[in-house]
Amino acid sequence: MRAAVCEHHGPPETVTVRDTARQQIGDDTVRVAVAFAAVNFPDVLVVADDYQISVPTPFTPGSEFAGFVTEVGARVEEYAVGDRVTGTGLFGAFAQEVVTDSHKLSPIPDGLPARLAAASGVAYRTAHHSLRSVARIRKGDPVVVLGAGGGVGLAAVAIGHALGAEVIAVASSPDKLAAARRHGARHLVNHREVDLRSALKEIVPRGAAAVIDPVGGDLTEPALRALGRGGRLVTVGFASGEVPRIPLNLVLVKGVQILGFQFGDIAPDEFDRNEEELRTLITSGQVVPHIGAEFGLDETAAALRMVADGRAIGKVLIRVGGCGP
């Protein structure tokens, strides 16, 4: 079996592709032939050993995949050979096949290509749960999205637009902002060309209802200042590589909230509602995942490098095999 392997922690270029031994299947596990795997920024951090969880080397990176079932364990009843599925995990996805616990899989809805299923997983779920259950946006709310050209950011633009928000997209290049406009952003801000605080004040003089922040760094504070009273800043990650230090007097004086996103913090009933709502948005075509680049399995290091350098627009996929039945 061919797989990408991180032999030792470091930059993306430490990842090589070689033949590896097939993993044995257990009674509660499922073997999946991977069609596509998605690259996420945390994959870069895991390879570099900069993630909050350290993965011992050697390991196969990759946290998200789509494919079809080729073998099921003796106690697995919910899946059969040939079923199309997606899955997530901390590592293991950048390979021709994955063996995983059955409860970590989800069926791919009928009519949704495996390519789009791979692209609409973690980033789109993160964006949707953040908007619905953390930011709690309502129709007509002005919502600032930082990193609006990246995986989570562009997903938040598209989903926010579908939910009726007035989306203000903040990104670092004309190409990223053009993609944000195509996915529904009403206002575009290139933070490398203008003063972000002044630009946001002009666009939303009464303040935004929410900020979705997967970037951190020096963008967070001016975005926080753009919130209206009672607004919510949802921190999703720190793609800039810098954790911001926020003057707490802003939180006190403006009466705003700073909230972190974790899947486990969403109440079960809301979680199920959100998952169903997102599934409907994607299968109906109201939200179409943006795939900015595709690489072959042998190009895994280059795919990771694109994401690490912040050059990706939307999702980056690794094309592994066929789409199956």
Side-chain angles (χ1 to χ4, degrees), residues 117-193:
S120 61
V122 173
Y124 281 78
R125 293 172 65 225
T126 296
H128 189 264
H129 286 293
S130 294
L131 287 164
R132 286 288 270 131
S133 291
V134 187
R136 298 195 178 279
I137 67 164
R138 297 172 296 184
K139 187 175 182 179
D141 279 350
V143 176
V144 176
V145 178
L146 303 180
V152 172
L154 195 52
V157 169
I159 295 168
H161 172 68
L163 295 177
E166 178 185 344
V167 178
I168 302 102
V170 178
S172 60
S173 75
D175 288 345
K176 290 180 178 181
L177 290 172
R181 181 183 291 280
R182 290 196 298 272
H183 286 273
R186 187 176 301 181
H187 307 280
L188 309 175
V189 180
N190 186 329
H191 65 81
R192 290 184 174 170
E193 295 182 349

Side-chain angles (χ1 to χ4, degrees), residues 13 64 87 100 110 118 150 167 187 217 250 275 281 302 315 317:
E13 290 73 22
E64 183 174 21
T100 185
D110 291 341
V167 178
H187 307 280
L250 290 178
E275 294 285 297
L281 289 173
K315 293 299 297 181
L317 296 186

